Amino acid sequence: MVVETTRELEALEAQAKTLMNVFATAGHEAVAPAIIQPADVFLDVVGESLRARTYVFTDPDGAELCLRPDLTVPTCRLHLARHVDPATPARYCYNGAAFRIQPVDADAAHPREFRQAGFERFGDVAREEAEAKTISLVVTALEKAGLTTWTLKLGDLGLFSSVLDEAGLSPRWKKRLDDAFLRPRAFREALKAFTRGVRSAPLALPDSLLSSLDRENTEPSEAAVLAYLEEKGIELFGTRALADITANLVTIAEGREETPLDETAAKLISDYIDVSGPARTAGAKIARLLKGARAGSGAALETYDRRLALLSNAGIDLDRVMFSAEYGRTLDYYTGLVFEVHTGTAGTGSPVANGGRYDALMRAAGANADIPAVGAAIHTERLLAAVRGVSL
């Protein structure tokens, strides 16, 4: 929905007031993170898709900055600035603009500038309880704003990781599949290609360069790539370019001697990502796949069941909750539960709200360790349209 009239602006402001009141009543402090942010943190953690859609620019002093593509990362940075100990429990809420580059033919549900009303929880030791409270609070806020028709979709990156462990994959294969999983539309084809042993087309690069690259030694690897580019007269633009090029070349170097993915392992993974349907029955389907699973997989299934029970206890109608094993979001920083809320007025690619667990993000933002963190954001223009019964 394109906001053009005073009436629409007033409606959005009134809606935001309702949402923020719900968050504040639940114990979240209202904050207003800066719109302009250091680009490096975002570009390291948001994932390939969103990285290409982030507005990045350089100030006169040469610092690379960006317009925030979401408000989660800025809120993490705000928390770190406030607390010497990043594990200090805290809850924040916000309402403000975010910015993402969109295709020329993007529809009204995907504007370049849009509003997010959301909240973040840091330092909760009781993980599943915090997740259930997060989802329950999102649903409460949506309903307080007037939304009556909604469905909830869950995904679980922790379960996916457990399936990879159960498949007996090497750390290298696990990393490759973790990376591919962030691109759900391409994951199935990637899995087939990995099983057949299909590799990237060889590049005209010296073996000495590829052999010198090491994923665990970033600085010398980037130095080797930079020296090669300078030798060839190839100019770099932006601080991310060298890191991205090096990471791609490391993947190519590692793939030169990589054996194909084991077919039994690939079948287990393929069967898992086929699991989709009511959340009530999805756990049993996964348990059958992982019969005789290791302790880690069993723990992940127990977490799944416990989370559903907590959601039910919080008043969430589980008949409106679906699970999709291949759903993993497109942001690199999510590490466990992921979810999105849909209405009948927008397509599946336009959820009215989404969120999840992102324990590793605080480390990327500057902490010295992972910190328990979970949050959610509501796309307020989509919500207003859904409440009005308008299709975007």
Side-chain angles (χ1 to χ4, degrees):
M1 179 182 66
V2 178
V3 177
E4 295 178 342
T5 69
T6 300
R7 180 177 296 179
E8 287 169 342
L9 287 170
E10 290 174 347
L12 278 172
E13 289 301 320
Q15 175 184 264
K17 184 176 180 180
T18 297
L19 298 174
M20 292 293 283
N21 183 60
V22 172
F23 302 153
T25 301
H28 296 75
E29 176 191 354
V31 295
I35 291 175
I36 297 176
Q37 295 281 324
D40 55 352
V41 175
F42 278 96
L43 300 182
D44 282 336
V45 302
V46 296
E48 181 180 341
S49 175
L50 187 51
R51 184 184 305 154
R53 296 166 54 203
T54 300
Y55 288 96
V56 180
F57 57 95
T58 304
D59 72 7
D61 294 326
E64 196 169 37
L65 305 171
C66 71
L67 297 179
R68 61 189 187 198
D70 76 3
L71 277 81
T72 297
V73 177
T75 305
C76 289
R77 296 186 64 246
L78 182 149
H79 178 76
L80 289 174
R82 289 188 174 189
H83 298 284
V84 175
D85 181 3
T88 301
R91 302 175 194 173
Y92 306 102
C93 61
Y94 48 76
N95 175 59
F99 306 84
R100 297 180 186 179
I101 298 170
Q102 302 289 1
V104 175
D105 58 351
D107 59 28
H110 300 86
R112 294 183 177 92
E113 178 180 346
F114 57 95
R115 298 186 186 194
Q116 285 186 340
F119 58 92
E120 316 294 341
R121 301 173 60 112
F122 302 133
D124 289 296
V125 177
R127 296 166 58 89
E128 290 81 47
E129 286 84 350
E131 293 166 358
K133 289 177 180 177
T134 295
I135 292 175
S136 176
L137 187 58
V138 167
V139 171
T140 297
L142 293 173
E143 291 182 341
K144 286 284 187 181
L147 186 68
T148 57
T149 303
W150 56 266
T151 56
L152 175 67
K153 181 169 77 171
L154 303 179
D156 194 329
L157 295 168
L159 262 177
F160 176 72
S161 182
S162 292
V163 170
L164 297 188
D165 288 338
E166 179 62 19
L169 301 179
S170 67
R172 182 179 297 175
W173 266 121
K174 186 172 181 180
K175 175 67 168 61
R176 291 182 73 180
L177 288 166
D178 272 336
D179 291 344
F181 191 62
L182 293 169
R183 300 181 295 276
R185 295 178 181 175
F187 181 78
R188 293 174 186 273
E189 290 304 316
L191 189 61
K192 293 177 183 178
F194 292 156
T195 308
R196 296 195 304 266
V198 176
R199 303 172 184 168
S200 301
L203 300 177
L205 294 171
D207 185 71
S208 58
L209 171 62
L210 295 176
S211 298
S212 70
L213 303 180
D214 183 353
R215 188 177 297 278
E216 303 302 321
N217 292 287
T218 302
E219 289 188 9
S221 295
E222 290 185 0
V225 173
L226 180 60
Y228 175 78
L229 295 175
E230 290 177 344
E231 177 186 339
K232 297 299 182 181
I234 301 173
E235 187 174 355
L236 286 173
F237 296 93
T239 58
R240 277 298 309 178
L242 179 60
D244 290 339
I245 293 171
T246 303
N248 289 336
L249 292 181
V250 165
T251 298
I252 292 172
E254 291 175 344
R256 291 181 302 166
E257 300 179 359
E258 187 71 81
T259 58
L261 181 64
D262 178 77
E263 290 187 6
T264 301
K267 184 178 187 311
L268 173 61
I269 297 166
S270 179
D271 288 345
Y272 170 73
I273 64 173
D274 281 340
V275 175
S276 179
R280 289 182 186 273
T281 59
K285 293 179 181 178
I286 298 168
R288 287 194 291 272
L289 286 177
L290 298 177
K291 189 175 181 179
R294 306 171 188 181
S297 299
L301 283 168
E302 289 175 5
T303 295
Y304 178 90
D305 291 337
R306 174 172 168 76
R307 187 186 295 129
L308 283 189
L310 288 166
L311 285 174
S312 180
N313 291 340
I316 299 297
D317 180 2
L318 295 187
D319 289 338
R320 302 169 78 171
V321 182
M322 308 296 288
F323 175 81
S324 172
E326 68 175 345
Y327 168 51
R329 298 291 311 274
T330 55
L331 299 178
D332 279 8
Y333 58 67
Y334 283 97
T335 57
L337 166 76
V338 287
F339 66 88
E340 57 187 26
V341 182
H342 292 272
T343 71
T345 60
T348 56
S350 305
V352 72
N354 46 32
R357 175 164 293 282
Y358 52 92
D359 291 354
L361 180 55
M362 200 71 80
R363 184 195 293 267
N368 58 6
D370 291 355
I371 303 297
V374 61
I378 295 171
H379 194 305
T380 57
E381 286 99 341
R382 291 177 188 167
L383 174 58
L384 183 59
V387 170
R388 291 175 168 179
V390 177
S391 297
L392 293 178

